[in-house]
Amino acid sequence: MLFSVILLAIAFLRLAESSMIFSSSKLDKRQLMVEEIFNGSPGFMCYADNYNILGNNWNHTYTMSEPQQLHISLTDDATHARVQFATLGKIQDSVLAYWPKKEYRNYHHRSNRASKNKIFLNGENWVFTDGGLAKRELYLHKFKTYALIPATIYAYQVGSVINNKIRWSKTYEFHTAPETNGFSFLATGDVGACNAVAVSHLIELGKTHKYDFVTLAGDQAYNMEDFNGTKGDEYMNFMQDLYAQVPYLGAVGNHEGAYNFTHYKNRFNIVPYTESKFDNSMFYSINYKSLHLVSFSTEVYFTGSTAEIRTALNWLEADLTKANKNREERPWVIFLTHHPIYCSVVSADCTTKASIIRDGVIGANNRTWGGLEDILLKHKVDIYMSGHVHNYERTYPVSKNKRIATSYHNSPSFFQIVIGNAGQPEGATPFGPGPYNDWSAKRYGSYGFSTFDVSRTAIHITHYQAHTDGRLGDVVDKFSVTKDPYRIKSKRNCKA
Ligand SMILES: [Fe+2]
């Protein structure tokens, strides 16, 4: 009974969020909800379009043992990588082969270079069972590399062992962190298995080895559990040409909520949550050169129990406290999540829901507790990066619903950036006629993606327009956030 109520609630939330689609269709909402609950969450069919057929991984017919859905993630400073893939059937074992291909970015310590011989690892293998009626099984495999050489391009393949033979995947490349503090990464959010307008540009930029990883602010596939989880497979195969070559450092969103987020927890099992002392991939952080990046699930405010909210906030407090002890080495803190706490679309997402996350939930005795903003201010977080709303918006430094600066230099508070406009079947969200709060600095109501160029004293952020015909458009927004160098203690003073 309780399970049915939970499923009903999930179905209702999805219907509410997708009301634009339903209002223009002739589907009977109650009939759809019943189908969604009792038929393994069929969802909406995604057909081949100009975006998801890229790389021919999406509509390829896979054999039971053929590797698919490759993706990669990193640990701190890319000292190790984790690789994951899937097979439709059970295999004897899984294998990762990787090898340093060439140095890049002026790597200076040639004497330390490992041999170019291939390194082979056996994987950790497990079965993921989708929560739909078919109880469809997917076989998952993951690896953690040995210590990697800095500033090096690696090539790798994964393999399925079947009948004592190895069936290898395509070869992909990724690279490790540079020796200098400067680096770049890609940022996006809200990507569908269809109508993923911006993804082709992310794939092309990923091939250049300029970008060290990609952040994704939640909501993928729309939805992974649809059609007994087969849409999740299609999506992961479509995204393989991005995720297998640019390490994934994303966050979870509400579209991953089915069956207690088990699709997300299993399919993205390679983010560094064990190093972050959390027990699943919905919460983690990573130190990367001058950056501390936190991935936090704001879904906990809507689906979690009181105890789960407290666990999440305690973890965040501990993580940021630790990060602040090392702020001289890693001056930047970016908070990555799905829901925004400031946005300018006229909807509950930007009012009621934003307020719950920002200011807290109402508990016993009508007391509000657990707001995120006080924690972020206390620990001097620099940037709040989110998705969920399907457009792009940048705020000025903001606190307690008030603009507190128009400069991004030595900002007294964080500012927020919404990047939920990669493209998905619900379409982009245009802005209304206003008026807008004075903390809203830039608004763009169509498709695009962002790049971040990071150094110890500046982050340069660029947002690009992506046209629906596949062309890369204009630069929509380009700005820099800067800070004076943190005072570096001399070793002599430390000894004293
Ligand atoms: Fe969302």
Side-chain angles (χ1 to χ4, degrees):
M1 179 64 185
L2 178 63
F3 186 60
S4 298
V5 170
I6 293 169
L7 285 175
L8 188 66
I10 290 169
F12 179 77
L13 287 171
R14 288 183 54 192
L15 282 166
E17 185 173 65
S18 305
S19 58
M20 286 181 65
I21 288 178
F22 292 125
S23 63
S24 61
S25 75
K26 293 182 180 177
L27 285 171
D28 180 280
K29 291 183 183 179
R30 282 185 303 175
Q31 179 185 347
L32 190 70
M33 286 170 64
V34 170
E35 286 183 0
E36 190 153 11
I37 292 167
F38 295 108
N39 289 344
S41 192
F44 293 95
M45 181 69 79
C46 258
Y47 296 99
D49 61 23
N50 288 335
Y51 317 111
N52 57 28
I53 61 171
L54 298 167
N56 200 33
N57 296 317
W58 186 81
N59 52 0
H60 171 78
T61 301
Y62 290 88
T63 64
M64 296 300 279
S65 61
E66 188 174 356
Q68 57 172 287
Q69 306 178 43
L70 273 68
H71 48 295
I72 184 168
S73 189
L74 300 173
T75 61
D76 284 359
D77 288 320
T79 50
H80 301 77
R82 283 193 177 90
V83 175
Q84 183 172 347
F85 75 100
T87 50
L88 298 177
K90 189 175 183 181
I91 57 176
Q92 274 177 261
D93 205 350
S94 54
V95 185
L96 170 70
Y98 66 98
W99 58 99
K101 190 175 176 187
K102 59 183 177 182
E103 64 201 54
Y104 84 131
R105 295 187 190 172
N106 301 318
Y107 184 69
H108 295 301
H109 303 293
R110 288 174 181 274
S111 60
N112 290 337
R113 287 188 67 83
S115 88
K116 289 193 175 182
N117 291 336
K118 285 185 179 179
I119 299 165
F120 292 90
L121 290 175
N122 291 107
E124 176 186 340
N125 310 301
W126 74 103
V127 184
F128 165 54
T129 305
D130 171 68
L133 275 190
K135 302 299 176 200
R136 182 172 171 269
E137 291 183 340
L138 187 66
Y139 294 80
L140 299 175
H141 320 282
K142 73 171 184 180
F143 314 84
K144 182 179 180 181
T145 67
Y146 298 123
L148 299 171
I149 307 164
T152 300
I153 294 175
Y154 279 86
Y156 74 97
Q157 287 177 286
V158 296
S160 302
V161 182
I162 189 91
N163 298 327
N164 297 320
K165 293 179 182 175
I166 301 176
R167 169 140 194 185
W168 290 105
S169 69
K170 286 196 256 187
T171 301
Y172 283 96
E173 292 180 0
F174 69 99
H175 63 263
T176 49
E179 290 185 294
T180 58
N181 267 299
F183 71 97
S184 301
F185 68 91
L186 300 166
T188 188
D190 300 74
V191 186
C194 47
N195 200 40
V197 178
V199 168
S200 63
H201 307 298
L202 298 172
I203 291 172
E204 288 307 308
L205 291 173
K207 291 175 183 172
T208 65
H209 281 297
K210 179 179 177 185
Y211 299 96
D212 289 18
F213 52 84
V214 57
T215 64
L216 192 142
D219 277 4
Q220 303 189 65
Y222 291 74
N223 289 347
M224 292 191 196
E225 77 276 11
D226 289 348
F227 304 99
N228 293 301
T230 54
K231 192 188 279 183
D233 295 357
E234 290 175 345
Y235 173 80
M236 295 300 288
N237 282 320
F238 155 47
M239 293 295 279
Q240 178 172 299
D241 279 350
L242 176 64
Y243 287 163
Q245 66 183 355
V246 185
Y248 172 87
L249 291 173
V252 70
N254 56 295
H255 276 270
E256 286 82 66
Y259 318 130
N260 193 24
F261 298 92
T262 47
H263 273 265
Y264 190 83
K265 291 172 182 172
N266 281 276
R267 292 177 184 274
F268 290 96
N269 204 265
I270 52 173
V271 293
Y273 66 86
T274 51
E275 289 85 353
S276 308
K277 296 183 171 42
F278 209 82
D279 62 4
N280 65 65
S281 55
M282 293 170 65
F283 297 86
Y284 67 90
S285 67
I286 184 170
N287 294 314
Y288 199 92
K289 311 309 289 188
S290 54
L291 171 65
H292 181 74
L293 174 71
V294 182
S295 177
F296 183 93
S297 171
T298 37
E299 301 317 304
V300 73
Y301 283 96
F302 306 109
T303 63
S305 64
T306 297
E308 287 168 331
I309 297 173
R310 289 197 193 284
T311 297
L313 296 178
N314 288 341
W315 173 85
L316 179 63
E317 282 270 13
D319 182 85
L320 292 176
T321 300
K322 185 178 177 186
N324 275 335
K325 290 177 180 170
N326 202 21
R327 207 66 183 261
E328 291 168 349
E329 183 183 353
R330 306 190 194 272
W332 297 107
V333 176
I334 296 180
F335 181 83
L336 171 68
T337 192
H338 183 56
H339 279 267
I341 54 174
Y342 293 101
C343 52
S344 298
V345 168
V346 181
S347 79
D349 290 322
C350 299
T351 52
T352 315
K353 291 183 181 178
S355 168
I356 288 171
I357 300 165
R358 186 181 63 228
D359 305 325
V361 296
I362 297 174
N365 303 321
N366 273 340
R367 290 177 62 183
T368 302
W369 67 276
L372 206 47
E373 186 170 52
D374 283 343
I375 298 174
L376 304 183
L377 292 170
K378 172 183 166 187
H379 294 284
K380 296 182 171 26
V381 166
D382 296 293
I383 303 175
Y384 187 116
M385 182 159 55
S386 74
H388 187 61
V389 182
H390 298 159
N391 55 33
Y392 171 83
E393 184 169 13
R394 164 170 59 91
T395 73
Y396 290 112
V398 60
S399 171
K400 307 296 180 187
N401 215 17
K402 287 189 169 55
R403 183 179 73 186
I404 57 169
T406 54
S407 164
Y408 294 89
H409 180 67
N410 290 340
S411 170
S413 173
F414 63 87
F415 67 95
Q416 190 192 264
I417 185 167
V418 174
I419 319 175
N421 60 342
Q424 31 57 47
E426 296 170 3
T429 304
F431 290 90
Y436 302 103
N437 285 293
D438 63 0
W439 45 249
S440 180
K442 180 75 181 180
R443 295 171 299 278
Y444 165 63
S446 189
Y447 302 110
F449 64 94
S450 290
T451 61
F452 283 58
D453 301 304
V454 184
S455 71
R456 286 181 64 84
T457 55
I459 301 181
H460 306 290
I461 302 173
T462 308
H463 193 74
Y464 295 90
Q465 178 182 24
H467 291 294
T468 53
D469 63 5
R471 287 180 299 120
L472 181 63
D474 298 329
V475 169
V476 171
D477 194 21
K478 190 177 179 70
F479 72 105
S480 299
V481 51
T482 54
K483 62 175 65 180
D484 294 330
Y486 273 71
R487 188 172 64 85
I488 306 296
K489 295 173 186 168
S490 74
K491 289 183 179 176
R492 196 163 43 213
N493 287 342
C494 287
K495 283 178 182 174

